[in-house]
Amino acid sequence: MAETSKTSSSRSEKVNNPANAGYEQNFTNAELPYGDLENSLSKTVGVGGVGSTQRRLNRRHVTFIGLGGGIGTGLFIGTGAALAKAGPAGLLMAFIVVGAVIWSVMEGLAEMATLIPQAGTFPHYATRFIDPAVGFTLAISYGYCYTIAIASEVSAAALVVSYWTDITPALVISISLALIFAINIMHVKFFGESEVVSASIKVICFVGLIFVSLVITLGGAPNHDRIGFRYWKNPGAFTNYNGITGSKGHFLGFLSALINASFSFIGVETVVIAAAETVNPHKYLPKATKRVTYRIAIFYILGALLIGMIVPYNDPALSSGTGNANSSPWVLGIKRAGIPALDSIINACILVSAWSAGNSYCYIGARIIVAMSIDRQLPQIFKKTNKNGVPYWAVIASFLFGPLAYLSLGSGGAAQAFSWILTLSTVAGLLAWMTLSICFLRFYAACKAQGVDRNSLPYKGRFQPYAAWVGTIGSLLITLLSGFSVFLKGNWSSSNFVANYIGIPIFIVPFVLWKIFKRTSFRKASEIDLWSGRFDPSEAPEDHPPTTWWGKALDWAF
């Protein structure tokens, strides 16, 4: 049994291992090119990653990528619309439910990524553990989720700048896109450093907002008004959604907040995408994943609670659709308390969040494209890298979706473009969460069938396989309910229906086409490859723990 748990990079050991018998016969290059993938591993010098990307992201980079992931415009601005639709209790419940779903997804995902840190990560796991057709459709769905989200965040940046000036949005969009492309085409350490700076700003801002909100609710603001849970009583804890009173209206309000909460959480999983470029994924990824628990509790759930305490859900500015600080519940609460100047500071943080999210999405989209190329689902040119390990063709392909932001200059305006892209990317993200949870269930079954003791792995996900089932079912239900409002009496809208549900056929059609033309088959648990592409910790450079009290404090906290 101990032999089956050893990390091995040689084909001979995989073939001779009884748990992996028949590996050569069951996985052909046409179906899943592990031979090429392993060659890529062996040709990469020193700490290189799959597809000749390089392991250059250290402890600090991974820490801040994990911290900053998911803290975007959805958390600063989008929560306002959710509060208006659901009320403070409905908003809080939505964040708790979605928080439980993404936590469940992350537990399984981290176990796989820590053991097998491949470029692109997500579609590769679907290809390896379920079926190449599932890997292809996940790559398409998750890839477009993030590449079009570049446009949504850049559009949001244009909206945020409008808080200060009436400068043309086209200029803001152009500058934002230029910066995003420049950072992603350079050495991956530049991306890591940009995440350190932007994540620091976002975290400091958000923690500051939490403290300010506590001061406001306790009566420490200039108006000395002790609010407490006043707004939970008047106008109330729940809304009457669409004029429907009673528990039914309250429940529908809660459902309406789920999609906004999901958009806020998407991005938490970003840290796992960087697994193939992390210096020591065995050490850094488990730590980053374990910290997800309290990040969800502090940044999202506590934030949702405080938002409902500092501003009532019937404030008309919450649903004004300005897309900048004017519709941020944090700013509205601060203005109500009579605190000056903070609104511009918060708007600046929102601007950093929007740009940072777009920057991350370009990185993620490029690595998904690399994964597709490695798995021979896209031309091999996309896995080509320069001397710094940057997959430049993949970066260019990912970035090309960014100019969709210019659609916000049309008749519908930036707010409408942002709304449509938000919905499209959120549904795609939820379907990706569902698929990743299924990946873990197949990984779990393979470990059981092949006699691999999960206690011997670098990281063992908690509450498995039950957590994976929560991730699978929860993500699917939220996806199916995302557009429920169009089915209510008098609410039908063809454009909203398409925006809410077009992501489902986009997910299904590539799977069907790949199955038909490639004739792939689902992986049997006894034949799933658990060996190739594992990380060899002896390749990692020596780790230097922090020595200063400040560094030790940050290391403990994050």
Side-chain angles (χ1 to χ4, degrees), residues 10 14 72 78 152 167 176 191 229 292 316 378 382 390 423 489 525:
S10 66
K14 289 197 297 289
S152 71
I167 188 174
S176 300
F191 170 77
F229 283 89
V292 165
L378 281 179
F382 289 111
V390 177
T423 303
K489 186 176 180 180

Side-chain angles (χ1 to χ4, degrees), residues 308-426:
M309 295 176 68
I310 63 175
V311 61
Y313 73 73
N314 59 357
D315 189 313
L318 288 173
S319 53
S320 63
T322 61
N324 54 35
N326 282 320
S327 56
S328 169
W330 304 100
V331 171
L332 295 175
I334 288 170
K335 283 184 174 181
R336 281 174 167 269
I339 303 176
L342 279 182
D343 53 341
S344 286
I345 295 174
I346 295 171
N347 201 60
C349 292
I350 296 172
L351 178 60
V352 171
S353 296
W355 177 85
S356 172
N359 189 42
S360 297
Y361 295 161
C362 185
Y363 171 85
I364 294 168
R367 271 53 185 183
I368 294 294
I369 292 170
V370 170
M372 293 181 72
S373 182
I374 289 173
D375 285 343
R376 294 193 174 178
Q377 294 167 344
L378 281 179
Q380 299 299 289
I381 191 175
F382 289 111
K383 70 178 183 181
K384 283 188 175 183
T385 58
N386 59 22
K387 64 181 180 180
N388 292 322
V390 177
Y392 51 94
W393 286 114
V395 169
I396 292 171
S398 176
F399 175 78
L400 286 177
F401 289 84
L404 288 174
Y406 290 109
L407 292 175
S408 64
L409 305 178
S411 59
Q416 184 63 60
F418 178 72
S419 176
W420 285 341
I421 297 176
L422 178 152
T423 303
L424 283 169
S425 59
T426 304

Side-chain angles (χ1 to χ4, degrees), residues 26 81 133-134 167 203 230 249 300 305 317 358 412 432 434 448 470 505 557:
N26 286 299
V134 179
I167 188 174
V203 171
R230 179 191 306 166
Y300 298 94
L305 173 64
M434 177 193 73
K448 191 172 182 179
V470 171

Side-chain angles (χ1 to χ4, degrees), residues 39-349:
N39 288 336
S40 295
L41 279 169
S42 63
K43 290 176 183 177
T44 308
V45 179
V47 291
V50 174
S52 298
T53 55
Q54 299 174 1
R55 296 192 185 277
R56 301 290 186 178
L57 299 176
N58 59 32
R59 176 202 302 265
R60 181 165 52 89
H61 298 141
V62 174
T63 294
F64 282 94
I65 289 173
L67 274 174
I71 302 181
T73 52
L75 195 57
F76 284 108
I77 299 176
T79 45
L83 177 62
K85 294 176 182 177
L91 176 68
L92 180 61
M93 289 169 57
F95 270 77
I96 290 174
V97 168
V98 180
V101 171
I102 184 56
W103 182 88
S104 301
V105 173
M106 285 296 294
E107 283 299 312
L109 181 56
E111 182 172 330
M112 296 185 292
T114 303
L115 181 67
I116 308 171
Q118 300 296 328
T121 310
F122 298 170
H124 180 80
Y125 295 153
T127 293
R128 178 185 286 230
F129 300 132
I130 307 176
D131 183 314
V134 179
F136 178 69
T137 199
L138 177 60
I140 295 294
S141 179
Y142 195 76
Y144 98 77
C145 161
Y146 277 95
T147 50
I148 68 171
I150 300 171
S152 71
E153 295 295 344
V154 171
S155 296
L159 293 172
V160 170
V161 172
S162 68
Y163 182 78
W164 295 302
T165 177
D166 58 357
I167 188 174
T168 174
L171 180 59
V172 178
I173 290 172
S174 298
I175 294 174
S176 300
L177 289 175
L179 288 173
I180 288 172
F181 181 75
I183 287 180
N184 276 273
I185 206 67
M186 292 190 291
H187 198 297
V188 72
K189 287 191 70 174
F190 285 97
F191 170 77
E193 294 299 338
S194 70
E195 284 299 291
V196 169
V197 174
S198 60
S200 299
I201 293 172
K202 290 190 287 186
V203 171
I204 291 171
C205 179
F206 202 81
V207 171
L209 287 175
I210 289 176
F211 279 108
V212 170
S213 299
L214 286 171
V215 169
I216 292 173
T217 59
L218 295 174
N223 61 3
H224 301 295
D225 184 12
R226 189 181 181 90
I227 301 174
F229 283 89
R230 179 191 306 166
Y231 297 138
W232 283 59
K233 298 176 182 178
N234 183 25
F238 293 94
T239 62
N240 293 322
Y241 187 81
N242 203 42
I244 301 172
T245 59
S247 57
K248 182 179 179 181
H250 299 167
F251 179 69
L252 292 178
F254 156 72
L255 290 184
S256 70
L258 284 177
I259 197 70
N260 293 81
S262 298
F263 180 72
S264 297
F265 276 102
I266 286 176
V268 170
E269 73 279 7
T270 303
V271 65
V272 180
I273 287 284
E277 292 169 279
T278 299
V279 170
N280 193 343
H282 279 193
K283 188 168 184 178
Y284 300 159
L285 289 184
K287 183 176 180 179
T289 302
K290 290 176 181 177
R291 299 301 190 269
V292 165
T293 304
Y294 71 75
R295 288 171 196 158
I296 289 173
I298 295 175
F299 292 145
Y300 298 94
I301 297 175
L302 179 59
L305 173 64
L306 291 172
I307 285 171
M309 295 176 68
I310 63 175
V311 61
Y313 73 73
N314 59 357
D315 189 313
L318 288 173
S319 53
S320 63
T322 61
N324 54 35
N326 282 320
S327 56
S328 169
W330 304 100
V331 171
L332 295 175
I334 288 170
K335 283 184 174 181
R336 281 174 167 269
I339 303 176
L342 279 182
D343 53 341
S344 286
I345 295 174
I346 295 171
N347 201 60
C349 292

Side-chain angles (χ1 to χ4, degrees), residues 481-504:
L481 293 170
S482 63
F484 80 93
S485 61
V486 300
F487 299 107
L488 298 178
K489 186 176 180 180
N491 271 21
W492 175 258
S493 168
S494 298
S495 60
N496 288 339
F497 174 81
V498 171
N500 279 286
Y501 291 109
I502 190 64
I504 296 177

